[in-house]
Amino acid sequence: MKIIRKVQEMIDFSETNHQQDKLIGFVPTMGFLHQGHLSLMKLIRDQVDVLIISIYVNPKQFGPQEDFKKYPRDEQRDINLVKPLVDVVFIPESDDIYPPRYDTFVQVEELSKPLCGKSRPGHFGGVTTVVARLFGIVKPDIAVFGQKDYQQSLIIKRMVEDLNLGVKIQVGPIIREPDGLALSSRNIYLDEQQRKRAQEINQGLALGEKLMKQGETDIDQIISAMTELISGHDLNIEYLEILDSSNLQEVSSMTEQVIIAAAVLVDNIRLIDNRLVDVDRKLEE
Ligand code: PAF
């Protein structure tokens, strides 16, 4: 396994591999890796000749009051974890990703507005900007993103299509702890008691899914049952919405697949989670 720290070296490496007709797979990450990240790497390991991951905590996707400075980092641990699985770990420096002359911002407009876009203005613009830049450097044939960041994955797909970036995007399923808590690098912030309460987020989403599958078609009823469960465990809901999974618009009666998406504060720790639900009957308007 090779560690590359320089943008130009990464570009040269990818170009050489493309010249040899090698298929390049890519998993961009912000490090502090867990089984969720590893599952994304495993998803494409056998589909590609060269598997590259990046570790870069992108300042552009954090708001001024957010946790950029204290975002968990452990480079050596990350390297050891992925050693058996990947060919290259790309760990660029910020002044190489955004050199002084850097002046481009990439924004997917409508999909960046709802859900996390409302509560984290500028976040998705920061994500698309860095992902476009990383795609330009790594030039992957396939890239993988996690369903836990469902909105992010839709936005990246839209960006790739709109800009004809020629990268095939795959989305890997959410990996959960045995009690249902979705894996996240930010789970490290939770103390034992907060960790216990956090599992209710998944319980809430599961309740929503169950009600839909039992035939409940009133979105407000479903949201209020989920809200009651989640808030009842001293958790603050930032958003809890049921939207059309294809475009994040409010659901219409003809919607076939919806996403139940939540952002929840466990004290001051913000966690997101979601569930895709196939609705096989009409929802009330
Ligand atoms: O999902 C993440 O970890 C980040 O948003 C990403 C895609 C690596 C861009 O910084």
Side-chain angles (χ1 to χ4, degrees):
M1 192 198 70
K2 203 174 159 64
I3 296 173
I4 296 182
R5 293 182 188 275
K6 291 280 167 225
V7 164
Q8 192 55 52
E9 192 188 343
M10 189 67 253
I11 292 171
D12 294 344
F13 177 93
S14 287
E15 268 175 15
T16 308
N17 278 276
H18 277 308
Q19 279 158 12
Q20 296 166 0
D21 285 333
K22 300 259 174 74
L23 211 61
I24 296 181
F26 181 44
V27 184
T29 83
M30 299 207 298
F32 212 71
L33 303 174
H34 50 66
Q35 289 301 321
H37 296 108
L38 297 187
S39 75
L40 303 181
M41 298 168 203
K42 287 176 191 157
L43 195 66
I44 53 162
R45 178 63 277 187
D46 292 341
Q47 298 176 45
V48 298
D49 301 303
V50 182
L51 180 53
I52 300 172
I53 72 156
S54 62
I55 298 177
Y56 177 61
V57 186
N58 169 37
K60 287 199 192 297
Q61 68 188 76
F62 289 80
Q65 309 305 325
E66 293 182 358
D67 58 345
F68 171 67
K69 283 221 170 86
K70 73 167 187 137
Y71 193 84
R73 294 161 169 89
D74 192 339
E75 190 180 296
Q76 200 47 54
R77 174 182 162 280
D78 288 346
I79 290 170
N80 292 340
L81 259 179
V82 299
K83 214 177 253 171
L85 207 55
V86 312
D87 301 299
V88 176
V89 185
F90 176 43
I91 315 178
E93 295 288 340
S94 252
D95 56 4
D96 215 6
I97 287 290
Y98 302 119
R101 65 183 181 283
Y102 188 87
D103 198 20
T104 298
F105 188 71
V106 182
Q107 175 79 28
V108 172
E109 297 289 351
E110 290 306 314
L111 281 171
S112 299
K113 286 182 183 159
L115 304 176
C116 291
K118 271 191 228 156
S119 42
R120 301 184 72 188
H123 168 68
F124 287 120
V127 170
T128 39
T129 296
V130 80
V131 171
R133 174 99 174 103
L134 289 168
F135 281 0
I137 296 165
V138 174
K139 298 198 178 62
D141 298 287
I142 307 176
V144 196
F145 294 82
Q147 191 204 306
K148 191 173 82 63
D149 296 297
Y150 184 78
Q151 185 174 13
Q152 168 173 281
S153 68
L154 276 192
I155 288 170
I156 303 286
K157 281 185 190 166
R158 170 64 32 229
M159 172 182 81
V160 165
E161 200 179 316
D162 288 355
L163 301 181
N164 291 90
L165 295 182
V167 183
K168 187 177 157 202
I169 303 297
Q170 290 192 12
V171 179
I174 299 177
I175 306 298
R176 298 181 180 280
E177 298 282 5
D179 66 9
L181 178 67
L183 295 194
S184 161
S185 303
R186 289 188 169 98
N187 290 353
I188 190 82
Y189 298 149
L190 300 166
D191 67 25
E192 205 180 317
Q193 192 260 355
Q194 291 167 326
R195 172 71 189 69
K196 252 201 166 120
R197 282 190 279 145
Q199 61 177 282
E200 300 303 328
I201 303 168
N202 176 55
Q203 296 297 327
L205 301 183
L207 174 65
E209 177 171 7
K210 188 170 129 204
L211 291 173
M212 279 188 211
K213 295 252 154 97
Q214 283 173 348
E216 180 57 79
T217 55
D218 184 335
I219 295 280
D220 292 339
Q221 287 288 338
I222 300 167
I223 298 272
S224 81
M226 291 192 294
T227 302
E228 199 179 316
L229 192 155
I230 295 173
S231 313
H233 289 85
D234 199 16
L235 301 170
N236 275 323
I237 296 173
E238 185 183 282
Y239 65 72
L240 179 57
E241 295 190 45
I242 298 176
L243 300 174
D244 184 325
S245 67
S246 66
N247 55 18
L248 304 183
Q249 301 289 310
E250 287 192 5
V251 278
S252 73
S253 54
M254 297 308 288
T255 302
E256 284 178 357
Q257 194 189 54
V258 298
I259 178 128
I260 314 177
V264 172
L265 290 161
V266 186
D267 302 328
N268 58 345
I269 302 154
R270 183 179 181 277
L271 301 176
I272 58 170
D273 198 353
N274 66 72
R275 249 164 208 256
L276 285 168
V277 183
D278 290 309
V279 186
D280 50 10
R281 54 178 66 77
K282 287 186 174 185
L283 296 164
E284 273 177 21
E285 286 186 80

